Amino acid sequence: MSDAFCSLQKFSVVYGRGRNGTTALDSVDLDLIIGERLAIIGESGSGKSTLARALAGLLPEEAKVEGEMLWPGLRHPPRPGRDFGFVFQDPGSSLNPVLRIGEQIAEAARRHLGLSWKQAYAKAEELLERVRMPQPDRAMRAFAHQLSGGQRQRVAIAAAIAAKPALLIADEATSALDVVVQAEIIRLLDGLVREDGMTLVFITHDIALASGFVDRLAVFRNAKLVEKGLARSVLSAPKSDYTADLIASHRDLLTPPLIAGAPS
Ligand SMILES: Nc1ncnc2c1ncn2[C@@H]1O[C@H](COP(=O)(O)OP(=O)(O)OP(=O)(O)O)[C@@H](O)[C@H]1O
Ligand SMILES: [Mg+2]
């Protein structure tokens, strides 16, 4: 597909070997379209994080990969960290507890953009403003434990977008937050990807949460892609029973125009 940023063709990932191997992705065919927001939906263990790690080139050594992962949207082989930004569920795992926030974001900006420390610090504060961190100048000097969960997630997003990646991957980035903060972070992600024309992969087990703002859905179950398509089409006419059950269990939370399949 010509407007694909990334194309997976019969893409499989197996952890371990032989009888003890776990197939985490089983012959997946999926395109990420340039500038689109794609939600990867699925229950625990369905292979969502494996897909995220595979895209970002972060699979562990014991993972055996088959099939193709092509990058028609990039003019060069993918450069992890530069072409992809990654936001995890627990920003504690990506933030360093003993470095000040400003230093961490500045380091990301310095490494990827070749800035001096002075320029990188200025860039870091600008990024904190961009992710609407309250009192960005104070946050620059704070340590991760001095921030709330939502604020830490803003910092993680600032670091992830420091290099202006073409693809932002958010793996359950809002799952640990309460619903109000969750909505704020989703608005923030939505705004950032629109402004920068980034392609977004938003991973969640919550179809209702994703459906409010993504363009496309891909539903996984037991390592298999069971359904993919425009969010509106999938919601109004799901092809698989599994997706229909997911939608039915969230029907009260889904936005009425999306359910009705009306143009947005
Ligand atoms: N490093 C690993 N070694 C062996 N098996 C793994 C490894 N990482 C993941 N798996 C297995 O691969 C399968 C898919 O895992 P994955 O983390 O991709 O699921 P997920 O959909 O992200 O789940 P969750 O919603 O709980 O985060 C699971 O059965 C998991 O146990
Ligand atoms: Mg996961």
Side-chain angles (χ1 to χ4, degrees), residues 13-16 20-25 40 42-53 60 62-63 89 171-172 203-205 220 223:
V13 176
V14 180
Y15 294 107
N20 295 326
T22 304
T23 301
L25 290 176
I40 305 288
E43 62 205 33
S44 185
S46 56
K48 306 182 297 297
S49 294
T50 299
L51 178 64
R53 279 188 236 115
E62 65 271 22
Q89 171 166 351
D171 188 357
E172 302 275 6
I203 295 174
T204 178
H205 55 272
F220 283 79

Side-chain angles (χ1 to χ4, degrees), residues 6-123:
C6 171
S7 182
L8 302 179
Q9 295 167 7
K10 298 206 177 341
F11 188 80
S12 300
V13 176
V14 180
Y15 294 107
R17 306 279 139 152
R19 299 232 264 127
N20 295 326
T22 304
T23 301
L25 290 176
D26 189 358
S27 199
V28 171
D29 288 312
L30 181 65
D31 283 339
L32 314 188
I33 310 296
I34 293 172
E36 276 198 346
R37 295 153 303 165
L38 169 75
I40 305 288
I41 317 276
E43 62 205 33
S44 185
S46 56
K48 306 182 297 297
S49 294
T50 299
L51 178 64
R53 279 188 236 115
L55 289 170
L58 295 173
L59 282 176
E61 256 180 32
E62 65 271 22
K64 183 167 152 265
V65 173
E66 276 176 16
E68 299 282 349
M69 179 184 285
L70 307 171
W71 296 94
L74 289 175
R75 279 188 223 99
H76 42 72
R79 301 162 300 182
R82 181 73 202 252
D83 296 312
F84 318 126
F86 220 117
V87 189
F88 298 94
Q89 171 166 351
D90 171 19
S93 63
S94 48
L95 297 182
N96 187 324
V98 297
L99 282 186
R100 292 181 197 276
I101 295 302
E103 204 172 336
Q104 297 188 49
I105 306 174
E107 167 56 23
R110 212 177 63 85
R111 193 172 28 186
H112 297 303
L113 302 177
L115 303 179
S116 68
W117 273 111
K118 192 169 173 215
Q119 291 167 323
Y121 269 100
K123 178 81 185 167

Side-chain angles (χ1 to χ4, degrees), residues 12-255:
S12 300
V13 176
V14 180
Y15 294 107
R17 306 279 139 152
R19 299 232 264 127
N20 295 326
T22 304
T23 301
L25 290 176
D26 189 358
S27 199
V28 171
D29 288 312
L30 181 65
D31 283 339
L32 314 188
I33 310 296
I34 293 172
E36 276 198 346
R37 295 153 303 165
L38 169 75
I40 305 288
I41 317 276
E43 62 205 33
S44 185
S46 56
K48 306 182 297 297
S49 294
T50 299
L51 178 64
R53 279 188 236 115
L55 289 170
L58 295 173
L59 282 176
E61 256 180 32
E62 65 271 22
K64 183 167 152 265
V65 173
E66 276 176 16
E68 299 282 349
M69 179 184 285
L70 307 171
W71 296 94
L74 289 175
R75 279 188 223 99
H76 42 72
R79 301 162 300 182
R82 181 73 202 252
D83 296 312
F84 318 126
F86 220 117
V87 189
F88 298 94
Q89 171 166 351
D90 171 19
S93 63
S94 48
L95 297 182
N96 187 324
V98 297
L99 282 186
R100 292 181 197 276
I101 295 302
E103 204 172 336
Q104 297 188 49
I105 306 174
E107 167 56 23
R110 212 177 63 85
R111 193 172 28 186
H112 297 303
L113 302 177
L115 303 179
S116 68
W117 273 111
K118 192 169 173 215
Q119 291 167 323
Y121 269 100
K123 178 81 185 167
E125 192 160 343
E126 191 188 302
L127 284 163
L128 284 176
E129 277 162 24
R130 235 188 128 202
V131 297
R132 283 183 247 129
M133 173 67 90
Q135 297 183 287
D137 51 334
R138 272 187 68 177
M140 286 286 287
R141 296 190 300 276
F143 293 98
H145 73 269
Q146 294 169 319
L147 303 177
S148 71
Q151 289 169 347
R152 280 201 289 272
Q153 209 49 295
R154 285 176 199 274
V155 172
I157 294 169
I161 63 168
K164 274 197 172 275
L167 173 65
L168 187 62
I169 303 168
D171 188 357
E172 302 275 6
T174 64
S175 305
L177 305 171
D178 71 57
V179 286
V180 174
V181 182
Q182 199 169 52
E184 284 172 12
I185 297 292
I186 285 178
R187 261 201 304 279
L188 173 67
L189 282 172
D190 192 32
L192 291 171
V193 295
R194 280 171 192 273
E195 282 163 27
D196 285 2
M198 280 185 275
T199 304
L200 176 71
V201 173
F202 184 82
I203 295 174
T204 178
H205 55 272
D206 186 341
I207 194 167
L209 182 75
S211 301
F213 81 107
V214 298
D215 304 295
R216 266 171 217 273
L217 297 176
V219 181
F220 283 79
R221 189 183 195 196
N222 295 337
K224 287 202 161 62
L225 177 58
V226 294
E227 177 127 20
K228 63 183 171 184
L230 287 172
R232 239 180 291 139
S233 316
V234 172
L235 291 172
S236 57
K239 293 197 183 80
S240 85
D241 292 345
Y242 179 66
T243 313
D245 288 348
L246 277 183
I247 294 169
S249 66
H250 285 291
R251 190 159 286 275
D252 51 332
L253 294 171
L254 287 161
T255 348

